[in-house]
Amino acid sequence: MIDRRSLLRTGGTVALGAFGLATCACSPTAGAQNPSPTTASAGATSGVIRVELQRTEAPFTGFEIIQTRFEIPVGQASGRHSHDGGKEVGYIIQGDVLMEFDDRPPLRLKSGDPFLIPTGVVHNARNVGTVQTMMLSTYCIDASKPLVTPH
């Protein structure tokens, strides 16, 4: 079993392994050298930020791998959105999340839980806990499409 500290130390290799990309040859300069917070997608509530940790070309043409840390304050939500270019493989580093979907029942997640959001599925991550939620998400995205599409 892997704990949060180990996951962070490995730089998300576990998440990349879920894509079958753990053996991807990434350049040492790939990714954000000094990651800085950015406002999350349109529709996100106050204080929600996405920090891009790294970005590199995928080992197959036309795709890229993007890894982010997503932070949601207590009582706030990500806003309804989808990832139309590819799947999201995620891990709850801290907090309690209610992942709401348009086409299926909600999913309750807590610290240490992994999750997978299929391509194009509209969802909203709502912090239903007592601490700021932090999620590590890795995407394998069609490079011609945006990372996030607000709904």
Side-chain angles (χ1 to χ4, degrees), residues 37-74:
T38 58
T39 302
S41 61
T45 54
S46 179
V48 175
I49 59 171
R50 175 181 288 111
V51 179
E52 186 173 304
L53 301 173
Q54 53 187 336
R55 178 185 294 248
T56 189
E57 291 180 15
F60 33 91
T61 306
F63 283 79
E64 61 186 349
I65 299 167
I66 303 168
Q67 188 171 60
T68 67
R69 184 180 71 238
F70 199 74
E71 303 174 11
I72 307 172
V74 174

Side-chain angles (χ1 to χ4, degrees), residues 132-143:
Q132 176 165 294
T133 292
M134 292 180 62
M135 299 184 282
L136 178 67
S137 290
T138 303
Y139 311 84
C140 188
I141 299 287
D142 179 331

